[in-house]
Amino acid sequence: MKVAVLGAGAIGAYVGASLHRAGAEVHLIARGAHLEAMREHGVKVRSPRGDFVATPHATDDPAEVGPVDHIFLGLKANQYAGAGPLIEPMLHEKTSLIAAQNGIPWWYFHGVEGPNAGRRIEAVDPGGSVSAVLPPERAIGCVVYAATEIEAPGTVRHLEGTRLSIGEPDGTRSARCGEFADAMVEGGLKCPVEADLRRDIWIKLMGNIAFNPISALARATMAAICRHHDTRALVVDMMKETLDVALALGVSTGVSIERRLAGAERTGEHKTSTLQDLEKGKPLELDAILTAVVEIAEFAGVPVPTLRVVNALTGLLGAGLPALPPGGTR
């Protein structure tokens, strides 16, 4: 199995190192000091489960890699539309695209039946620009529950969790999903193939849709948001509205708001990825996390007044931030 990791940042390098340890042919595509360190010393993984070093091929030129069986996307969702030149040299007829993104993916209504079949979500696929680069029929969904960070160039700190759930948009258990999942497990990760990955998407989104934008607006950690009475109440309102949208699409998460709040509190003084991006002057990855849900609510006829207000505020907040170049990583 030949795998390319496009955007080998914290999650991408961790996945790539794990797959390499399983015996897969892995190519990491990155840039800057992180790339140079991986070229010279490999990927150093520091983890409570045991440290290890993997030495997959690392490059900034996808043409060096050539066609692969799977491309694991570690890019930000707002980079997808511009990633065509990076992806094209690595495609063959059956290459799959495994997108490790937060929020609503561009393929969400691909492979479903009913009135929304094939519907395009403008917030995540503006003008069809993402589908043109990442054809939905190539997509394998991925919901990441592992937490990692780049401790130093070439060094990934694994903080917690090893599960990356994957699934076909049409809910089938395909050979390509099975192949990728088996290699992930062999490399020490959990990779269940879910028949209904959309449920996982909404479960994770319950937390992201509230904590990510609030953290950026208030410059606050997750624990601080939970401790403050009014922001805690705001989180509850946003989660309620999100669950209403999910139910309108026929998805029941089976996870209570209280349980999600308790999980957030346990993370402690953690800065969300959105707050970290804001502090670094990077664009906010909220189109898929928040704006897409407001768009879905509009055509589903679900009132989401709180989500609309927060979306307007974060839209203004992010309006002055620079665009992220195609080679950036998550």
Side-chain angles (χ1 to χ4, degrees), residues 104-110 112-125 198 202 244-250 290-304 308:
I104 302 294
W106 82 99
W107 54 261
Y108 190 88
F109 290 116
H110 176 72
V112 299
E113 298 179 352
N116 292 316
R119 180 187 283 269
R120 179 169 55 81
I121 304 171
E122 187 68 21
V124 293
D125 190 11
R198 289 173 179 82
W202 286 99
D244 287 344
V245 177
L247 283 172
L249 299 182
L290 176 56
T291 309
V293 177
V294 173
E295 181 179 339
I296 292 170
E298 177 70 27
F299 65 71
V302 179
V304 288
R308 287 184 179 279

Side-chain angles (χ1 to χ4, degrees), residues 107-108 143 145 163 194-206 243 246 250-256 259:
W107 54 261
Y108 190 88
V143 178
Y145 294 96
R163 180 160 68 100
E194 303 288 355
D196 184 10
L197 192 70
R198 289 173 179 82
R199 178 175 178 272
D200 284 61
I201 288 171
W202 286 99
I203 289 172
K204 187 171 184 184
L205 188 55
M206 282 176 67
L243 290 178
V251 179
S252 177
T253 64
V255 177
S256 69
R259 180 178 168 186

